[in-house]
Amino acid sequence: MPRSRGLVGPAGPLAVLFVLVASISPSATSHEGGFCVEPVSLKAKAEKKVAALEAKFSKNEVKTSALAADLTDAEADLVDAEAALAAAEALPEGTPEEKKAKKKAVAAAEEEVGKLEKRIAKLGKKIAKKEKKHVSLVTKILKVDPSRFFTFEPEPEGPSPFDPPWADVAPTTVIGFEHDDSLSNAQNGELLRQTILGLSPGDRLEIGDGTYSISNHFTAPLVGTSTAPIFVVAAEGASPRITRPNAYENVMNVGTTTPGSAQYLAFRGLEFEGGSMGIRIYGGSNVWIDRCEIHHTEDAGLTANTVDTDHLYLTRNHIHHTSGYGEGMYLGANGGAVTMRDSIVARNHIHDTGSTGGQGDGIEVKQGSHSNWIVENCIHDTHYPCLIAYGTFGNPVNVIERNVLIGSDDNTLQVQGEAIVRNNLIIDGAVGFYSHDHQDQTKDLQFVHNTILNSKIATTMKSWFNRTGMVFANNVVYSENAASIVFVGGAAGVTVTGNVVHGLPYLTPVDGYTVGEGLGDFFHASWDGDRFIVRPREGSAIVGAAAAEWAVAEDVTGASRAGPLAAGCAQPLPSDDAE
């Protein structure tokens, strides 16, 4: 497996937050392509301010670590003090002298316990203050120079385009469920299972902190309505963990093999660990899995491959360390036997899939699945492709855009056809982008405004020649040691225009591309994905190379494309004199 890059996951309000990756460190400004080499005063000022903020960030981290160590010591001392108090309270008091001695010992022990409790509370407040400062410093750094860190911005306030239209429907009944510490985790798990199975339309179940171990078969065939959906969520500030002690079954099944057996149903903010699969969706329509963590499964993390599904909303989840075949998400089935349609797969962080072998795609969208939006996912360090999509069997296309895909033992991105693939960042794989006939023909595929960096072959397109609707436009396609663009069989009938390459194309038309210089064309990028600020530098071949007829209005960050139209997924920074 490729080594982990330490990308920050979506446990909070962000699905993919690429802050502090090869950036908050003294060396972050010293690599080629960084702002430090640009002789521009505005950038120099920004760099100086960022450096000062980074120094504060590091100092704050050191202080936070010291406080955390003090807190650990104080908590250990409290355990000893409470033991001393218990011993004092157990002293004999048969005589006046013994009674007096006991009273004195108890008072001294209580005083020590009280002091330590106050110290622990004080340290906790100090740590919380430092953590708040930590977030503030990161925010300030991004505001000074957001282009230094390739990041998806926090979602704006208000309705999200990734959420179901019933997301904000108020519940009719709110049910609290707290972990009972007098019971075992297995007993708590069984009580939680029964409570979930008893929910009705309009119910909102809020689950408190704790581990809930479920060993019985757990299938939730819950049906809400658009005006009375069912929500199963973490209570405010809580992180409930649902586990299965073995891999004989999935942690949770949603719906049954009957179509429509799970509708208008949401699971949000929950952790699922273990089992064969984490979550398996059966006959689901309008099912929302949001901000959940799914990990250390024996098979795939989240699947919808047994019964046709539609209007799934799979958003902001963190899926990692799967095993066996081990896909992060397995959506639809081979040959179109089962399909997913009209669904949104957005802002998920998926990594370390197929950890013990097997396959291990990040997201796999099977043949016949259609009309889906796969957007703004961060997928890295996978065994099979970070993202693979087949065709739609002539149904409306899938849209695959603004994803960041880094590090695969296989192809980083693989798409058969019947898709619009745009504004994706693709780095480090056996092949960067691979496309060929698979379970149907390659056809009707637009591959536009993507950036590919790979030490090996950057792209391989088989069976593209003389197929309908094939477009390869406005891409940046860079290979360190091999060919950039390979059309096996040639590119007759393919629209090839506005691309920039590094590494000579092979079996490619002599026009449709210009030649770039390599990594120096970017602010801060590397072939292995450790650095991936791929905004092009002014003066590079990338800027102004794109064909206007295939331009996409926004880039991978959501910023509007303006000025000289650059190829690839990211626009250059605004002019240096813009305040």
Side-chain angles (χ1 to χ4, degrees), residues 33-312:
F35 284 150
C36 59
V37 301
E38 291 291 315
V40 179
S41 60
L42 182 63
K43 289 178 181 177
K45 288 177 182 177
E47 193 69 24
K48 185 176 180 180
K49 190 168 183 180
V50 167
L53 289 168
E54 286 176 346
K56 289 183 180 180
F57 179 91
S58 298
K59 187 176 181 180
N60 190 66
E61 274 199 320
V62 171
K63 289 183 176 179
T64 303
S65 296
L67 288 169
D70 289 346
L71 179 61
T72 299
D73 292 342
E75 289 173 336
D77 290 342
L78 178 61
V79 172
D80 293 340
E82 288 174 336
L85 175 59
E89 290 173 336
L91 289 172
E93 50 184 337
T95 67
E97 291 78 9
E98 288 176 335
K99 187 176 292 187
K100 183 177 180 181
K102 178 178 180 178
K103 182 177 180 181
K104 184 177 180 180
V106 169
E110 286 178 337
E111 182 180 5
E112 182 64 18
V113 168
K115 286 180 180 179
L116 287 167
E117 287 176 339
K118 288 180 180 179
R119 176 166 174 72
I120 288 169
K122 188 175 181 180
L123 286 168
K125 288 181 180 179
K126 285 185 177 181
I127 290 172
K129 188 175 180 180
K130 293 294 181 185
E131 289 175 343
K132 186 176 180 180
K133 187 176 181 181
H134 173 103
V135 174
S136 175
L137 285 167
V138 171
T139 303
K140 286 180 180 179
I141 291 169
L142 289 171
K143 284 182 178 178
V144 172
D145 190 1
S147 69
R148 284 190 78 240
F149 321 109
F150 190 87
T151 176
F152 289 134
E153 296 292 331
E155 293 181 69
E157 295 294 329
S160 167
F162 308 134
D163 295 347
W166 43 271
D168 295 324
V169 174
T172 55
T173 305
V174 176
I175 304 166
F177 189 96
E178 294 294 332
H179 189 277
D180 186 343
D181 293 341
S182 69
L183 302 176
S184 69
N185 290 339
Q187 289 171 316
N188 276 282
E190 179 57 23
L191 289 173
L192 176 62
R193 186 183 74 91
Q194 293 176 14
T195 301
I196 291 173
L197 295 180
L199 295 175
S200 300
D203 286 348
R204 177 185 176 91
L205 178 65
E206 298 183 347
I207 306 171
D209 270 323
T211 297
Y212 303 86
S213 179
I214 298 177
S215 56
N216 289 325
H217 177 80
F218 183 21
T219 292
L222 301 176
V223 178
T225 69
S226 61
T227 57
I230 299 171
F231 285 87
V232 180
V233 305
E236 186 174 356
S239 300
R241 177 170 167 260
I242 302 173
T243 69
R244 179 169 285 279
N246 56 56
Y248 299 139
E249 296 193 44
N250 307 318
V251 180
M252 181 177 71
N253 301 315
V254 178
T256 68
T257 54
T258 301
S261 53
Q263 295 186 54
Y264 298 99
L265 172 62
F267 293 89
R268 306 185 69 198
L270 309 176
E271 179 182 354
F272 297 87
E273 180 180 1
S276 176
M277 300 175 190
I279 299 175
R280 188 167 198 170
I281 301 172
Y282 281 81
S285 174
N286 277 282
V287 172
W288 189 16
I289 311 295
D290 181 57
R291 291 183 171 88
C292 292
E293 181 177 7
I294 304 170
H295 62 101
H296 290 93
T297 57
E298 286 297 312
D299 205 310
L302 187 157
T303 67
N305 63 340
T306 307
V307 182
D308 287 347
T309 57
D310 65 272
H311 296 90
L312 303 185

Side-chain angles (χ1 to χ4, degrees), residues 441-444 462-470 487-495:
Q441 286 191 336
T442 294
K443 58 187 176 183
D444 298 318
K462 293 184 177 181
S463 308
W464 275 45
F465 56 94
N466 295 324
R467 294 287 173 79
T468 60
M470 306 305 288
F487 281 103
V488 178
V494 181
T495 298

Side-chain angles (χ1 to χ4, degrees), residues 7 15-16 18 150 152 162 314-317 319 329 344-350 362-363 373-380 386-387 399-406 423-425 556:
L7 302 181
V16 192
F18 305 115
F150 190 87
F152 289 134
F162 308 134
L314 310 177
T315 58
R316 310 175 190 88
N317 300 293
I319 302 176
M329 293 186 182
I344 295 175
V345 183
R347 290 195 158 221
N348 299 286
H349 180 193
I350 300 174
I363 294 176
W373 190 21
I374 298 103
V375 55
E376 291 188 11
N377 299 285
C378 167
I379 310 173
H380 62 94
C386 291
L387 196 161
V399 176
I400 301 168
E401 62 180 334
R402 303 199 301 272
N403 299 285
V404 174
L405 312 172
I406 302 177
N423 278 333
N424 298 283
L425 176 58
V556 66

Side-chain angles (χ1 to χ4, degrees), residues 483-568:
S484 55
I485 303 175
V486 178
F487 281 103
V488 178
V494 181
T495 298
V496 182
T497 184
N499 303 290
V500 182
V501 305
H502 180 270
L504 291 179
Y506 178 67
L507 299 176
T508 302
V510 294
D511 55 3
Y513 62 87
T514 56
V515 178
E517 295 296 325
L519 294 180
D521 290 341
F522 306 100
F523 275 125
H524 199 61
S526 64
W527 299 111
D528 61 4
D530 277 354
R531 303 188 301 275
F532 51 98
I533 304 171
V534 294
R535 288 189 181 275
R537 296 174 59 182
E538 294 291 345
S540 71
I542 298 170
V543 179
E549 62 268 31
W550 291 102
V552 178
E554 296 179 343
D555 74 359
V556 66
T557 68
S560 297
R561 285 190 161 90
L565 187 61

